[in-house]
Amino acid sequence: MEENKNKEQFPDIDPLTNDKFVPEHEFDGIRELANNPPWWLTFIFIFSMLFAYFYLAKYHFYGDGDLPSQEYENEMLAANPEEEEEGAGGIVIEADDTDYSVPLADAGGLDKGAKIFKTNCAVCHLAEGQGLVGPNLTDEYWIHGGSFDDITLIINNGVVEKGMIAWKGQLSKKQIHQVASYITTLQGTNPPNPKAPEGEKYEPME
């Protein structure tokens, strides 16, 4: 009698789906049905497992292809082909005999500096360096010093309190040298509508 009562309370087949219940899989009145997942879910699971094994073998065991970290480095090198790479990974550091303490004089380097300036600096200093949010770079007055070392230092470290970001994390040492060299050529160019002088007049030491 007790056995029949339990069967009525916990039947072997779900009356709604006609699926069998898993024996002894019951908790707090909730029972598990012994039904299989749909075919498409089974297919996705099997495909995912096969893809995982293929990916592991291709990229980790045989090294046939670049991992995401290497793809990122390749894209960064493509965006900044002149950037010097340091560290492990078999990256070769090219010899560089450039004197970074003096401005460039060659037209090629200055042209590259002009392109960097127009891409990154013109938004605050305008395309001809006459100043907008940032100061005028074409006159003799400088807020933080007008020597080449001063200009390079400001580009590298920025002036955060005045909205000038540090570019050393975004431009390579060579690119900063190029744009700093280009900025030195702007003095005395007299562009239209220049911003009023700011800071102190810089007089180069003889």
Side-chain angles (χ1 to χ4, degrees):
M1 189 73 177
E2 185 68 25
E3 184 178 351
N4 293 334
K5 185 177 180 181
N6 289 336
K7 285 187 176 181
E8 292 178 1
Q9 186 176 0
F10 299 107
D12 294 331
I13 298 178
D14 181 17
L16 295 178
T17 63
N18 292 324
D19 290 322
K20 290 184 178 181
F21 286 109
V22 178
E24 300 180 358
H25 278 218
E26 183 272 333
F27 178 79
D28 197 21
I30 301 173
R31 304 183 68 190
E32 180 182 356
L33 292 173
N35 57 345
N36 295 322
W39 68 268
W40 55 266
L41 186 59
T42 303
F43 173 80
I44 291 176
F45 175 75
I46 295 173
F47 176 80
S48 300
M49 294 298 295
L50 293 175
F51 178 82
Y53 283 117
F54 172 78
Y55 184 93
L56 189 66
K58 177 179 175 64
Y59 290 97
H60 292 274
F61 291 160
Y62 298 104
D64 182 19
D66 295 331
L67 292 172
S69 58
Q70 186 60 48
E71 289 182 351
Y72 172 78
E73 291 181 3
N74 293 340
E75 291 180 5
M76 292 299 294
L77 283 174
N80 298 291
E82 297 178 353
E83 185 173 357
E84 298 174 0
E85 295 291 337
E86 300 180 359
I91 298 175
V92 178
I93 302 175
E94 296 182 0
D96 187 3
D97 57 357
T98 303
D99 185 357
Y100 290 97
S101 64
V102 296
L104 293 169
D106 65 286
L110 292 174
D111 182 60
K112 292 177 180 177
K115 291 179 180 178
I116 296 170
F117 182 89
K118 289 177 172 59
T119 300
N120 300 287
C121 311
V123 65
C124 291
H125 298 281
L126 293 185
E128 298 180 60
Q130 62 264 54
L132 183 62
V133 178
N136 183 357
L137 301 177
T138 67
D139 58 27
E140 299 176 302
Y141 292 83
W142 295 83
I143 301 173
H144 302 284
S147 69
F148 185 70
D149 286 341
D150 292 329
I151 296 171
T152 303
L153 185 65
I154 293 170
I155 297 172
N156 268 297
N157 300 327
V159 186
V160 179
E161 62 272 17
K162 294 190 176 180
M164 171 73 176
I165 69 171
W167 288 98
K168 61 184 177 183
Q170 302 186 48
L171 299 175
S172 68
K173 184 177 180 180
K174 181 175 290 188
Q175 289 173 319
I176 289 177
H177 188 227
Q178 290 167 344
V179 71
S181 300
Y182 171 72
I183 289 173
T184 63
T185 68
L186 296 176
Q187 185 172 343
T189 53
N190 299 317
N193 302 316
K195 190 175 181 180
E198 299 176 86
E200 299 180 359
K201 184 176 180 179
Y202 172 72
E203 297 181 0
M205 296 180 62
E206 297 295 339

